[in-house]
Amino acid sequence: MIPSAARGKSLRGRLAPSPTGAQHLGNARTFLVCWLYTRCHGGELLLRIEDLDTPRTKSWANQQAIEDLKWLGIDWDATAALQSSRASDYHEVLEVLKQKQQVYPCTCSRAQVDACSSAPHESYLDGVIYSGHCADRSAQDSERLSAQGLRYAWRFRMPDGLMTWHDDFHGPQVLDAKKLLGDFIIARNYGPAAYQLAVTVDDHAQEITHVLRGDDLVYSTYRQLAIYKALDWQSPCWMHVPLVVGQDGKRLAKRHGDTRLAEFRTQGIQPEQIVGWIAKSLRLTQDDTPMSASDLLLIAKESPLWWQKIPKEPWVLDSPGAINPT
Ligand code: GLU
Ligand code: ZN
């Protein structure tokens, strides 16, 4: 078990929207759980806009995410620097990982990775599993590659063997992460740091004690834990909450109807309706009576260990029409 020394410290959480598009009902549910959990523990909350995914980030989405959160009645105590402004910090940590030979330069193209990775039917947990084609290289080999003008990605060496950690919602987690997830990209010699590096450096630098986010990032936790360990950093506590899905069981997308918070707002739907709907889905209330986030916080404060009653399965959205303007 990787020790989580954050246990016992006063809680510091974060809201980390990605401005790659509009925030939807699923994001709202996760943000609300994070806010309720943090506030119920008397903790602090940081807002961090994760704008690293530059080709996909949209400038309008930064401000819209902030408006969505405020509209829902979620507040925070501090705002972190944009990830796009923190390249030098990520770079510094990458240098340390290079010195430790925890990373190697990978020149495989996307198509090559797809072609020589394990067949998808063999444990296809979270993307393709990298074959290890370039793993014999050392970090210094990058100098030769750079001199040749080649593009490469920095891949992190996943440690061998079983990795275990504790999820404060789902309980104990275990996986042969090397075999089932494989080595993963943390930066490129062209372009910005990748999510796994940026989020780890930020959570550490910003002294986050509790990472509370959606279930889609459970496998990322193995990767981030491997980075914490390589750097001898203390890892935070983790809690992943189930996603909202459509009736086909897939995560919310356009085909499930319009579930964008900004769209609800335009249609004259009140935030209390969304909060009421989410409260019921979390089993905090019996019905979806509209209520403000602060009223829901009072309910949560009076329901000890309320988060343990959140359904363990994804929450299936009947149709966005279930939320009607009043
Ligand atoms: N920005 C990420 C997302 O919106 C969340 C990252 C995290 O919570 O670690 O999916
Ligand atoms: Zn490679």
Side-chain angles (χ1 to χ4, degrees):
M1 170 83 78
I2 293 163
S4 203
R7 263 166 240 281
K9 263 204 261 173
S10 87
L11 193 153
R12 191 165 154 88
R14 84 294 202 280
L15 302 161
S18 286
T20 47
Q23 305 297 313
H24 55 60
L25 213 45
N27 303 118
R29 188 173 185 257
T30 306
F31 291 142
L32 203 58
V33 174
C34 180
W35 179 77
L36 290 168
Y37 187 86
T38 306
R39 296 305 188 211
C40 279
H41 289 85
E44 284 177 15
L45 208 50
L46 184 73
L47 173 70
R48 184 171 75 222
I49 309 263
E50 305 209 314
D51 65 340
L52 259 198
D53 199 352
T54 28
R56 289 172 58 224
T57 49
K58 322 262 186 315
S59 52
W60 53 264
N62 285 14
Q63 198 48 41
Q64 192 181 75
I66 294 172
E67 279 161 29
D68 289 338
L69 288 165
K70 286 188 178 159
W71 180 71
L72 286 168
I74 292 175
D75 65 348
W76 53 93
D77 308 292
T79 304
L82 290 175
Q83 289 189 323
S84 56
S85 72
R86 291 186 29 75
S88 62
D89 292 62
Y90 306 144
H91 194 81
E92 229 170 77
V93 176
L94 178 62
E95 286 305 316
V96 176
L97 293 171
K98 285 186 210 171
Q99 277 155 27
K100 291 176 180 265
Q101 297 296 338
Q102 286 286 347
V103 289
Y104 58 87
C106 167
T107 40
C108 300
S109 67
R110 186 65 185 260
Q112 280 169 318
V113 169
D114 288 347
C116 43
S117 299
S118 321
H121 59 265
E122 290 173 37
S123 179
Y124 194 73
L125 292 179
D126 194 28
V128 291
I129 305 166
Y130 181 64
S131 65
H133 183 263
C134 303
D136 289 341
R137 288 194 186 132
S138 80
Q140 288 73 32
D141 288 329
S142 63
E143 289 159 24
R144 178 174 48 84
L145 300 170
S146 295
Q148 292 169 12
L150 291 174
R151 289 177 152 222
Y152 52 84
W154 286 103
R155 255 183 215 278
F156 186 93
R157 294 180 204 277
M158 208 45 152
D160 287 316
L162 291 183
M163 270 181 87
T164 59
W165 54 280
H166 185 85
D167 186 281
D168 286 348
F169 179 69
H170 291 290
Q173 304 292 309
V174 59
L175 191 75
D176 186 336
K178 178 76 171 190
K179 212 157 125 195
L180 299 178
L181 299 175
D183 295 348
F184 57 94
I185 293 176
I186 65 167
R188 294 182 168 83
N189 74 330
Y190 53 97
Y195 160 72
Q196 306 295 354
L197 179 63
V199 80
T200 305
V201 173
D202 280 1
D203 283 337
H204 176 74
Q206 295 158 8
E207 299 181 314
I208 299 302
T209 64
H210 287 67
V211 170
L212 197 156
R213 58 190 177 191
D215 265 355
D216 51 331
L217 291 166
V218 162
Y219 297 116
S220 284
T221 300
Y222 289 94
R223 301 184 177 106
Q224 291 161 25
L225 274 169
I227 300 175
Y228 279 100
K229 194 149 187 278
L231 292 164
D232 290 317
W233 288 352
Q234 257 168 24
S235 79
C237 297
W238 312 90
M239 183 159 158
H240 294 82
V241 290
L243 301 182
V244 178
V245 296
Q247 288 198 302
D248 54 2
K250 304 258 168 66
R251 70 170 89 165
L252 287 188
K254 286 211 178 87
R255 66 177 177 284
H256 299 121
D258 205 333
T259 63
R260 292 174 300 170
L261 300 173
E263 183 59 26
F264 288 140
R265 216 161 43 232
T266 310
Q267 284 174 15
I269 289 176
Q270 299 302 308
E272 289 81 3
Q273 283 175 270
I274 308 289
V275 172
W277 180 87
I278 293 173
K280 182 180 174 227
S281 83
L282 297 172
R283 306 258 193 273
L284 266 163
T285 55
Q286 309 262 311
D287 56 31
D288 52 10
T289 308
M291 70 175 68
S292 66
S294 53
D295 284 344
L296 184 58
L297 178 58
L298 293 178
I299 293 177
K301 281 184 170 164
E302 282 162 17
S303 322
L305 307 178
W306 55 268
W307 56 91
Q308 292 181 1
K309 293 185 216 121
I310 300 174
K312 293 278 191 282
E313 297 306 314
W315 186 255
V316 183
L317 180 68
D318 300 333
S319 76
I323 298 169
N324 289 311
T326 44

